[in-house]
PDB file of all heavy atoms in Angstrom:
ATOM      1  N   LEU A 123       5.480   0.956  -3.459  1.00  0.00           N
ATOM      2  CA  LEU A 123       6.576   1.901  -3.741  1.00  0.00           C
ATOM      3  C   LEU A 123       7.808   1.499  -2.937  1.00  0.00           C
ATOM      4  O   LEU A 123       7.708   1.598  -1.692  1.00  0.00           O
ATOM      5  CB  LEU A 123       6.148   3.310  -3.448  1.00  0.00           C
ATOM      6  CG  LEU A 123       4.873   3.835  -4.119  1.00  0.00           C
ATOM      7  CD1 LEU A 123       4.456   5.132  -3.461  1.00  0.00           C
ATOM      8  CD2 LEU A 123       5.138   4.042  -5.623  1.00  0.00           C
ATOM      9  N   ALA A 124       8.855   1.101  -3.628  1.00  0.00           N
ATOM     10  CA  ALA A 124      10.067   0.631  -2.929  1.00  0.00           C
ATOM     11  C   ALA A 124       9.707  -0.286  -1.750  1.00  0.00           C
ATOM     12  O   ALA A 124      10.120  -0.042  -0.623  1.00  0.00           O
ATOM     13  CB  ALA A 124      10.896   1.812  -2.476  1.00  0.00           C
ATOM     14  N   PRO A 125       8.986  -1.351  -1.989  1.00  0.00           N
ATOM     15  CA  PRO A 125       8.448  -2.144  -0.878  1.00  0.00           C
ATOM     16  C   PRO A 125       9.516  -2.922  -0.184  1.00  0.00           C
ATOM     17  O   PRO A 125      10.486  -3.356  -0.737  1.00  0.00           O
ATOM     18  CB  PRO A 125       7.467  -3.076  -1.561  1.00  0.00           C
ATOM     19  CG  PRO A 125       7.968  -3.241  -2.988  1.00  0.00           C
ATOM     20  CD  PRO A 125       8.524  -1.884  -3.323  1.00  0.00           C
ATOM     21  N   TRP A 126       9.334  -3.112   1.135  1.00  0.00           N
ATOM     22  CA  TRP A 126      10.113  -3.943   1.959  1.00  0.00           C
ATOM     23  C   TRP A 126       9.407  -5.308   2.034  1.00  0.00           C
ATOM     24  O   TRP A 126       8.792  -5.648   2.979  1.00  0.00           O
ATOM     25  CB  TRP A 126      10.316  -3.308   3.354  1.00  0.00           C
ATOM     26  CG  TRP A 126      11.071  -4.122   4.338  1.00  0.00           C
ATOM     27  CD1 TRP A 126      12.270  -4.783   4.121  1.00  0.00           C
ATOM     28  CD2 TRP A 126      10.735  -4.385   5.691  1.00  0.00           C
ATOM     29  NE1 TRP A 126      12.707  -5.367   5.266  1.00  0.00           N
ATOM     30  CE2 TRP A 126      11.758  -5.149   6.239  1.00  0.00           C
ATOM     31  CE3 TRP A 126       9.693  -3.998   6.529  1.00  0.00           C
ATOM     32  CZ2 TRP A 126      11.811  -5.563   7.548  1.00  0.00           C
ATOM     33  CZ3 TRP A 126       9.670  -4.458   7.864  1.00  0.00           C
ATOM     34  CH2 TRP A 126      10.722  -5.169   8.367  1.00  0.00           C
ATOM     35  N   TRP A 127       9.607  -6.107   0.957  1.00  0.00           N
ATOM     36  CA  TRP A 127       8.919  -7.395   0.880  1.00  0.00           C
ATOM     37  C   TRP A 127       9.857  -8.440   1.498  1.00  0.00           C
ATOM     38  O   TRP A 127      10.977  -8.603   1.129  1.00  0.00           O
ATOM     39  CB  TRP A 127       8.645  -7.720  -0.585  1.00  0.00           C
ATOM     40  CG  TRP A 127       7.338  -7.075  -1.054  1.00  0.00           C
ATOM     41  CD1 TRP A 127       6.446  -6.415  -0.267  1.00  0.00           C
ATOM     42  CD2 TRP A 127       6.895  -7.026  -2.382  1.00  0.00           C
ATOM     43  NE1 TRP A 127       5.409  -5.977  -1.098  1.00  0.00           N
ATOM     44  CE2 TRP A 127       5.627  -6.315  -2.370  1.00  0.00           C
ATOM     45  CE3 TRP A 127       7.369  -7.504  -3.616  1.00  0.00           C
ATOM     46  CZ2 TRP A 127       4.900  -6.112  -3.535  1.00  0.00           C
ATOM     47  CZ3 TRP A 127       6.631  -7.265  -4.738  1.00  0.00           C
ATOM     48  CH2 TRP A 127       5.435  -6.607  -4.692  1.00  0.00           C
ATOM     49  N   GLN A 128       9.308  -9.118   2.488  1.00  0.00           N
ATOM     50  CA  GLN A 128      10.055 -10.193   3.237  1.00  0.00           C
ATOM     51  C   GLN A 128       9.279 -11.477   3.100  1.00  0.00           C
ATOM     52  O   GLN A 128       8.086 -11.558   2.907  1.00  0.00           O
ATOM     53  CB  GLN A 128      10.053  -9.801   4.734  1.00  0.00           C
ATOM     54  CG  GLN A 128      10.755  -8.510   5.045  1.00  0.00           C
ATOM     55  CD  GLN A 128      12.285  -8.650   5.058  1.00  0.00           C
ATOM     56  OE1 GLN A 128      12.867  -8.821   3.984  1.00  0.00           O
ATOM     57  NE2 GLN A 128      12.828  -8.712   6.242  1.00  0.00           N
ATOM     58  N   PHE A 129      10.014 -12.591   3.171  1.00  0.00           N
ATOM     59  CA  PHE A 129       9.374 -13.921   3.241  1.00  0.00           C
ATOM     60  C   PHE A 129       8.395 -14.106   2.097  1.00  0.00           C
ATOM     61  O   PHE A 129       7.318 -14.700   2.232  1.00  0.00           O
ATOM     62  CB  PHE A 129       8.657 -14.147   4.547  1.00  0.00           C
ATOM     63  CG  PHE A 129       9.611 -14.017   5.763  1.00  0.00           C
ATOM     64  CD1 PHE A 129       9.570 -12.903   6.566  1.00  0.00           C
ATOM     65  CD2 PHE A 129      10.519 -15.022   6.042  1.00  0.00           C
ATOM     66  CE1 PHE A 129      10.426 -12.777   7.636  1.00  0.00           C
ATOM     67  CE2 PHE A 129      11.410 -14.879   7.109  1.00  0.00           C
ATOM     68  CZ  PHE A 129      11.334 -13.758   7.945  1.00  0.00           C
ATOM     69  N   ALA A 130       8.715 -13.563   0.929  1.00  0.00           N
ATOM     70  CA  ALA A 130       7.843 -13.636  -0.236  1.00  0.00           C
ATOM     71  C   ALA A 130       6.431 -13.151   0.046  1.00  0.00           C
ATOM     72  O   ALA A 130       5.423 -13.829  -0.228  1.00  0.00           O
ATOM     73  CB  ALA A 130       7.834 -15.081  -0.787  1.00  0.00           C
ATOM     74  N   ASP A 131       6.362 -11.974   0.720  1.00  0.00           N
ATOM     75  CA  ASP A 131       5.020 -11.432   1.091  1.00  0.00           C
ATOM     76  C   ASP A 131       4.139 -11.315  -0.107  1.00  0.00           C
ATOM     77  O   ASP A 131       2.858 -11.371   0.139  1.00  0.00           O
ATOM     78  CB  ASP A 131       5.225  -9.950   1.669  1.00  0.00           C
ATOM     79  CG  ASP A 131       6.079 -10.013   2.945  1.00  0.00           C
ATOM     80  OD1 ASP A 131       5.717 -10.892   3.833  1.00  0.00           O
ATOM     81  OD2 ASP A 131       6.925  -9.154   3.151  1.00  0.00           O
ATOM     82  N   TRP A 132       4.624 -11.159  -1.281  1.00  0.00           N
ATOM     83  CA  TRP A 132       3.760 -11.007  -2.451  1.00  0.00           C
ATOM     84  C   TRP A 132       2.909 -12.227  -2.709  1.00  0.00           C
ATOM     85  O   TRP A 132       1.840 -12.126  -3.334  1.00  0.00           O
ATOM     86  CB  TRP A 132       4.625 -10.712  -3.670  1.00  0.00           C
ATOM     87  CG  TRP A 132       5.650 -11.812  -3.981  1.00  0.00           C
ATOM     88  CD1 TRP A 132       5.443 -13.014  -4.658  1.00  0.00           C
ATOM     89  CD2 TRP A 132       6.993 -11.818  -3.553  1.00  0.00           C
ATOM     90  NE1 TRP A 132       6.614 -13.746  -4.698  1.00  0.00           N
ATOM     91  CE2 TRP A 132       7.564 -12.974  -4.010  1.00  0.00           C
ATOM     92  CE3 TRP A 132       7.791 -10.907  -2.826  1.00  0.00           C
ATOM     93  CZ2 TRP A 132       8.975 -13.308  -3.811  1.00  0.00           C
ATOM     94  CZ3 TRP A 132       9.137 -11.214  -2.627  1.00  0.00           C
ATOM     95  CH2 TRP A 132       9.692 -12.380  -3.067  1.00  0.00           C
ATOM     96  N   ARG A 133       3.313 -13.362  -2.142  1.00  0.00           N
ATOM     97  CA  ARG A 133       2.478 -14.575  -2.342  1.00  0.00           C
ATOM     98  C   ARG A 133       1.160 -14.513  -1.561  1.00  0.00           C
ATOM     99  O   ARG A 133       0.319 -15.401  -1.793  1.00  0.00           O
ATOM    100  CB  ARG A 133       3.286 -15.827  -1.889  1.00  0.00           C
ATOM    101  CG  ARG A 133       4.516 -16.042  -2.762  1.00  0.00           C
ATOM    102  CD  ARG A 133       5.325 -17.237  -2.387  1.00  0.00           C
ATOM    103  NE  ARG A 133       6.572 -17.308  -3.159  1.00  0.00           N
ATOM    104  CZ  ARG A 133       7.504 -18.199  -2.956  1.00  0.00           C
ATOM    105  NH1 ARG A 133       7.425 -19.031  -2.007  1.00  0.00           N
ATOM    106  NH2 ARG A 133       8.598 -18.120  -3.730  1.00  0.00           N
ATOM    107  N   ARG A 134       1.004 -13.569  -0.677  1.00  0.00           N
ATOM    108  CA  ARG A 134      -0.259 -13.400   0.056  1.00  0.00           C
ATOM    109  C   ARG A 134      -1.307 -12.728  -0.804  1.00  0.00           C
ATOM    110  O   ARG A 134      -2.489 -12.753  -0.494  1.00  0.00           O
ATOM    111  CB  ARG A 134      -0.047 -12.522   1.322  1.00  0.00           C
ATOM    112  CG  ARG A 134       0.914 -13.123   2.273  1.00  0.00           C
ATOM    113  CD  ARG A 134       0.327 -14.379   2.988  1.00  0.00           C
ATOM    114  NE  ARG A 134       1.130 -14.828   4.064  1.00  0.00           N
ATOM    115  CZ  ARG A 134       0.860 -14.477   5.373  1.00  0.00           C
ATOM    116  NH1 ARG A 134      -0.235 -13.754   5.596  1.00  0.00           N
ATOM    117  NH2 ARG A 134       1.560 -14.955   6.325  1.00  0.00           N
ATOM    118  N   ILE A 135      -0.888 -12.074  -1.868  1.00  0.00           N
ATOM    119  CA  ILE A 135      -1.824 -11.271  -2.687  1.00  0.00           C
ATOM    120  C   ILE A 135      -2.732 -12.190  -3.523  1.00  0.00           C
ATOM    121  O   ILE A 135      -2.244 -13.164  -4.180  1.00  0.00           O
ATOM    122  CB  ILE A 135      -1.054 -10.308  -3.650  1.00  0.00           C
ATOM    123  CG1 ILE A 135      -0.196  -9.346  -2.812  1.00  0.00           C
ATOM    124  CG2 ILE A 135      -2.004  -9.568  -4.595  1.00  0.00           C
ATOM    125  CD1 ILE A 135       0.787  -8.603  -3.669  1.00  0.00           C
ATOM    126  N   HIS A 136      -4.058 -11.907  -3.475  1.00  0.00           N
ATOM    127  CA  HIS A 136      -4.887 -12.818  -4.153  1.00  0.00           C
ATOM    128  C   HIS A 136      -4.831 -12.673  -5.722  1.00  0.00           C
ATOM    129  O   HIS A 136      -4.368 -11.689  -6.200  1.00  0.00           O
ATOM    130  CB  HIS A 136      -6.440 -12.584  -3.708  1.00  0.00           C
ATOM    131  CG  HIS A 136      -6.965 -11.266  -4.035  1.00  0.00           C
ATOM    132  ND1 HIS A 136      -7.344 -10.870  -5.263  1.00  0.00           N
ATOM    133  CD2 HIS A 136      -7.257 -10.148  -3.241  1.00  0.00           C
ATOM    134  CE1 HIS A 136      -7.829  -9.672  -5.271  1.00  0.00           C
ATOM    135  NE2 HIS A 136      -7.793  -9.210  -4.066  1.00  0.00           N
ATOM    136  N   ASP A 137      -5.323 -13.684  -6.398  1.00  0.00           N
ATOM    137  CA  ASP A 137      -5.053 -13.843  -7.788  1.00  0.00           C
ATOM    138  C   ASP A 137      -5.702 -12.764  -8.657  1.00  0.00           C
ATOM    139  O   ASP A 137      -5.202 -12.534  -9.790  1.00  0.00           O
ATOM    140  CB  ASP A 137      -5.528 -15.236  -8.272  1.00  0.00           C
ATOM    141  CG  ASP A 137      -4.660 -16.346  -7.779  1.00  0.00           C
ATOM    142  OD1 ASP A 137      -3.529 -16.081  -7.283  1.00  0.00           O
ATOM    143  OD2 ASP A 137      -5.140 -17.535  -7.827  1.00  0.00           O
ATOM    144  N   ASP A 138      -6.760 -12.145  -8.185  1.00  0.00           N
ATOM    145  CA  ASP A 138      -7.467 -11.198  -9.044  1.00  0.00           C
ATOM    146  C   ASP A 138      -7.049  -9.713  -8.766  1.00  0.00           C
ATOM    147  O   ASP A 138      -7.658  -8.839  -9.351  1.00  0.00           O
ATOM    148  CB  ASP A 138      -8.988 -11.390  -8.868  1.00  0.00           C
ATOM    149  CG  ASP A 138      -9.437 -12.694  -9.442  1.00  0.00           C
ATOM    150  OD1 ASP A 138      -9.110 -13.030 -10.546  1.00  0.00           O
ATOM    151  OD2 ASP A 138     -10.152 -13.442  -8.705  1.00  0.00           O
ATOM    152  N   ALA A 139      -6.099  -9.557  -7.903  1.00  0.00           N
ATOM    153  CA  ALA A 139      -5.602  -8.202  -7.650  1.00  0.00           C
ATOM    154  C   ALA A 139      -4.780  -7.690  -8.861  1.00  0.00           C
ATOM    155  O   ALA A 139      -4.247  -8.491  -9.567  1.00  0.00           O
ATOM    156  CB  ALA A 139      -4.788  -8.156  -6.365  1.00  0.00           C
ATOM    157  N   ARG A 140      -4.699  -6.386  -8.916  1.00  0.00           N
ATOM    158  CA  ARG A 140      -3.808  -5.727  -9.934  1.00  0.00           C
ATOM    159  C   ARG A 140      -2.708  -5.069  -9.104  1.00  0.00           C
ATOM    160  O   ARG A 140      -2.978  -4.401  -8.156  1.00  0.00           O
ATOM    161  CB  ARG A 140      -4.564  -4.707 -10.730  1.00  0.00           C
ATOM    162  CG  ARG A 140      -5.616  -5.325 -11.704  1.00  0.00           C
ATOM    163  CD  ARG A 140      -6.494  -4.235 -12.336  1.00  0.00           C
ATOM    164  NE  ARG A 140      -7.389  -3.653 -11.361  1.00  0.00           N
ATOM    165  CZ  ARG A 140      -8.560  -4.132 -11.070  1.00  0.00           C
ATOM    166  NH1 ARG A 140      -9.016  -5.207 -11.646  1.00  0.00           N
ATOM    167  NH2 ARG A 140      -9.349  -3.507 -10.229  1.00  0.00           N
ATOM    168  N   VAL A 141      -1.494  -5.443  -9.467  1.00  0.00           N
ATOM    169  CA  VAL A 141      -0.289  -5.009  -8.651  1.00  0.00           C
ATOM    170  C   VAL A 141       0.634  -4.234  -9.492  1.00  0.00           C
ATOM    171  O   VAL A 141       1.059  -4.714 -10.664  1.00  0.00           O
ATOM    172  CB  VAL A 141       0.422  -6.234  -8.020  1.00  0.00           C
ATOM    173  CG1 VAL A 141       1.565  -5.839  -7.132  1.00  0.00           C
ATOM    174  CG2 VAL A 141      -0.593  -7.123  -7.262  1.00  0.00           C
ATOM    175  N   LEU A 142       1.095  -3.120  -8.987  1.00  0.00           N
ATOM    176  CA  LEU A 142       2.171  -2.353  -9.606  1.00  0.00           C
ATOM    177  C   LEU A 142       3.214  -2.057  -8.589  1.00  0.00           C
ATOM    178  O   LEU A 142       2.899  -1.526  -7.504  1.00  0.00           O
ATOM    179  CB  LEU A 142       1.549  -1.006 -10.195  1.00  0.00           C
ATOM    180  CG  LEU A 142       2.612  -0.022 -10.753  1.00  0.00           C
ATOM    181  CD1 LEU A 142       3.363  -0.616 -11.946  1.00  0.00           C
ATOM    182  CD2 LEU A 142       1.921   1.295 -11.153  1.00  0.00           C
ATOM    183  N   ALA A 143       4.453  -2.437  -8.868  1.00  0.00           N
ATOM    184  CA  ALA A 143       5.566  -2.152  -7.953  1.00  0.00           C
ATOM    185  C   ALA A 143       6.578  -1.219  -8.681  1.00  0.00           C
ATOM    186  O   ALA A 143       6.883  -1.445  -9.831  1.00  0.00           O
ATOM    187  CB  ALA A 143       6.267  -3.461  -7.579  1.00  0.00           C
ATOM    188  N   VAL A 144       6.997  -0.217  -7.924  1.00  0.00           N
ATOM    189  CA  VAL A 144       7.957   0.777  -8.492  1.00  0.00           C
ATOM    190  C   VAL A 144       9.143   0.874  -7.513  1.00  0.00           C
ATOM    191  O   VAL A 144       8.929   1.027  -6.320  1.00  0.00           O
ATOM    192  CB  VAL A 144       7.304   2.155  -8.599  1.00  0.00           C
ATOM    193  CG1 VAL A 144       8.227   3.157  -9.300  1.00  0.00           C
ATOM    194  CG2 VAL A 144       5.942   2.095  -9.318  1.00  0.00           C
ATOM    195  N   HIS A 145      10.346   0.674  -8.060  1.00  0.00           N
ATOM    196  CA  HIS A 145      11.491   0.529  -7.134  1.00  0.00           C
ATOM    197  C   HIS A 145      12.717   1.187  -7.864  1.00  0.00           C
ATOM    198  O   HIS A 145      12.925   0.937  -9.056  1.00  0.00           O
ATOM    199  CB  HIS A 145      11.784  -0.893  -6.842  1.00  0.00           C
ATOM    200  CG  HIS A 145      12.335  -1.104  -5.456  1.00  0.00           C
ATOM    201  ND1 HIS A 145      11.907  -2.128  -4.617  1.00  0.00           N
ATOM    202  CD2 HIS A 145      13.213  -0.383  -4.744  1.00  0.00           C
ATOM    203  CE1 HIS A 145      12.530  -2.037  -3.492  1.00  0.00           C
ATOM    204  NE2 HIS A 145      13.363  -1.031  -3.523  1.00  0.00           N
ATOM    205  N   GLY A 146      13.430   2.011  -7.150  1.00  0.00           N
ATOM    206  CA  GLY A 146      14.639   2.583  -7.639  1.00  0.00           C
ATOM    207  C   GLY A 146      15.811   1.629  -7.591  1.00  0.00           C
ATOM    208  O   GLY A 146      15.988   0.915  -6.622  1.00  0.00           O
ATOM    209  N   ASP A 147      16.619   1.574  -8.690  1.00  0.00           N
ATOM    210  CA  ASP A 147      17.758   0.649  -8.684  1.00  0.00           C
ATOM    211  C   ASP A 147      18.956   1.177  -7.867  1.00  0.00           C
ATOM    212  O   ASP A 147      19.958   0.480  -7.756  1.00  0.00           O
ATOM    213  CB  ASP A 147      18.162   0.326 -10.134  1.00  0.00           C
ATOM    214  CG  ASP A 147      18.613   1.551 -10.937  1.00  0.00           C
ATOM    215  OD1 ASP A 147      18.832   2.651 -10.324  1.00  0.00           O
ATOM    216  OD2 ASP A 147      18.799   1.399 -12.174  1.00  0.00           O
ATOM    217  N   ALA A 148      18.852   2.353  -7.284  1.00  0.00           N
ATOM    218  CA  ALA A 148      19.836   2.869  -6.346  1.00  0.00           C
ATOM    219  C   ALA A 148      19.376   2.785  -4.891  1.00  0.00           C
ATOM    220  O   ALA A 148      20.014   3.378  -4.007  1.00  0.00           O
ATOM    221  CB  ALA A 148      20.261   4.282  -6.700  1.00  0.00           C
ATOM    222  N   ASP A 149      18.309   2.055  -4.627  1.00  0.00           N
ATOM    223  CA  ASP A 149      17.801   1.903  -3.259  1.00  0.00           C
ATOM    224  C   ASP A 149      18.787   1.112  -2.442  1.00  0.00           C
ATOM    225  O   ASP A 149      19.103  -0.019  -2.806  1.00  0.00           O
ATOM    226  CB  ASP A 149      16.425   1.259  -3.344  1.00  0.00           C
ATOM    227  CG  ASP A 149      15.637   1.367  -2.048  1.00  0.00           C
ATOM    228  OD1 ASP A 149      16.264   1.248  -0.973  1.00  0.00           O
ATOM    229  OD2 ASP A 149      14.395   1.485  -2.095  1.00  0.00           O
ATOM    230  N   ARG A 150      19.229   1.660  -1.269  1.00  0.00           N
ATOM    231  CA  ARG A 150      20.147   0.935  -0.437  1.00  0.00           C
ATOM    232  C   ARG A 150      19.455   0.514   0.851  1.00  0.00           C
ATOM    233  O   ARG A 150      20.122   0.078   1.785  1.00  0.00           O
ATOM    234  CB  ARG A 150      21.334   1.857  -0.141  1.00  0.00           C
ATOM    235  CG  ARG A 150      22.177   2.161  -1.343  1.00  0.00           C
ATOM    236  CD  ARG A 150      22.837   0.943  -1.964  1.00  0.00           C
ATOM    237  NE  ARG A 150      23.604   1.268  -3.162  1.00  0.00           N
ATOM    238  CZ  ARG A 150      23.122   1.192  -4.427  1.00  0.00           C
ATOM    239  NH1 ARG A 150      21.891   0.745  -4.623  1.00  0.00           N
ATOM    240  NH2 ARG A 150      23.865   1.504  -5.461  1.00  0.00           N
ATOM    241  N   VAL A 151      18.119   0.640   0.892  1.00  0.00           N
ATOM    242  CA  VAL A 151      17.432   0.307   2.116  1.00  0.00           C
ATOM    243  C   VAL A 151      16.582  -0.976   1.907  1.00  0.00           C
ATOM    244  O   VAL A 151      16.588  -1.935   2.686  1.00  0.00           O
ATOM    245  CB  VAL A 151      16.477   1.444   2.537  1.00  0.00           C
ATOM    246  CG1 VAL A 151      15.637   1.020   3.777  1.00  0.00           C
ATOM    247  CG2 VAL A 151      17.283   2.708   2.859  1.00  0.00           C
ATOM    248  N   THR A 152      15.855  -1.009   0.812  1.00  0.00           N
ATOM    249  CA  THR A 152      15.126  -2.216   0.424  1.00  0.00           C
ATOM    250  C   THR A 152      15.631  -2.730  -0.944  1.00  0.00           C
ATOM    251  O   THR A 152      16.238  -1.981  -1.708  1.00  0.00           O
ATOM    252  CB  THR A 152      13.596  -1.980   0.345  1.00  0.00           C
ATOM    253  OG1 THR A 152      13.362  -0.902  -0.561  1.00  0.00           O
ATOM    254  CG2 THR A 152      13.036  -1.556   1.719  1.00  0.00           C
ATOM    255  N   ARG A 153      15.298  -3.928  -1.276  1.00  0.00           N
ATOM    256  CA  ARG A 153      15.944  -4.622  -2.417  1.00  0.00           C
ATOM    257  C   ARG A 153      15.073  -4.583  -3.662  1.00  0.00           C
ATOM    258  O   ARG A 153      14.031  -5.260  -3.724  1.00  0.00           O
ATOM    259  CB  ARG A 153      16.250  -6.055  -2.085  1.00  0.00           C
ATOM    260  CG  ARG A 153      17.202  -6.184  -0.844  1.00  0.00           C
ATOM    261  CD  ARG A 153      17.485  -7.619  -0.523  1.00  0.00           C
ATOM    262  NE  ARG A 153      18.207  -7.727   0.785  1.00  0.00           N
ATOM    263  CZ  ARG A 153      18.545  -8.916   1.286  1.00  0.00           C
ATOM    264  NH1 ARG A 153      18.189 -10.009   0.698  1.00  0.00           N
ATOM    265  NH2 ARG A 153      19.212  -8.921   2.469  1.00  0.00           N
ATOM    266  N   SER A 154      15.533  -3.879  -4.668  1.00  0.00           N
ATOM    267  CA  SER A 154      14.755  -3.737  -5.875  1.00  0.00           C
ATOM    268  C   SER A 154      14.701  -5.132  -6.608  1.00  0.00           C
ATOM    269  O   SER A 154      13.729  -5.459  -7.253  1.00  0.00           O
ATOM    270  CB  SER A 154      15.341  -2.684  -6.809  1.00  0.00           C
ATOM    271  OG  SER A 154      16.655  -2.990  -7.169  1.00  0.00           O
ATOM    272  N   ARG A 155      15.770  -5.908  -6.512  1.00  0.00           N
ATOM    273  CA  ARG A 155      15.795  -7.249  -7.170  1.00  0.00           C
ATOM    274  C   ARG A 155      14.758  -8.136  -6.560  1.00  0.00           C
ATOM    275  O   ARG A 155      14.133  -8.953  -7.281  1.00  0.00           O
ATOM    276  CB  ARG A 155      17.188  -7.830  -7.093  1.00  0.00           C
ATOM    277  CG  ARG A 155      18.207  -7.121  -7.964  1.00  0.00           C
ATOM    278  CD  ARG A 155      19.545  -7.848  -8.007  1.00  0.00           C
ATOM    279  NE  ARG A 155      20.508  -7.196  -8.851  1.00  0.00           N
ATOM    280  CZ  ARG A 155      21.714  -7.622  -9.070  1.00  0.00           C
ATOM    281  NH1 ARG A 155      22.165  -8.738  -8.424  1.00  0.00           N
ATOM    282  NH2 ARG A 155      22.589  -6.971  -9.856  1.00  0.00           N
TER     283      ARG A 155
END
Side-chain angles (χ1 to χ4, degrees):
L123 302 168
W126 179 44
W127 277 351
Q128 300 279 75
F129 303 105
D131 295 315
W132 58 84
R133 295 180 186 173
R134 298 292 191 96
I135 299 170
H136 65 73
D137 289 343
D138 293 310
R140 292 171 290 272
V141 183
L142 174 61
V144 188
H145 215 137
D147 60 11
D149 194 324
R150 297 296 178 263
V151 178
T152 57
R153 301 179 187 178
S154 60
R155 289 187 178 180

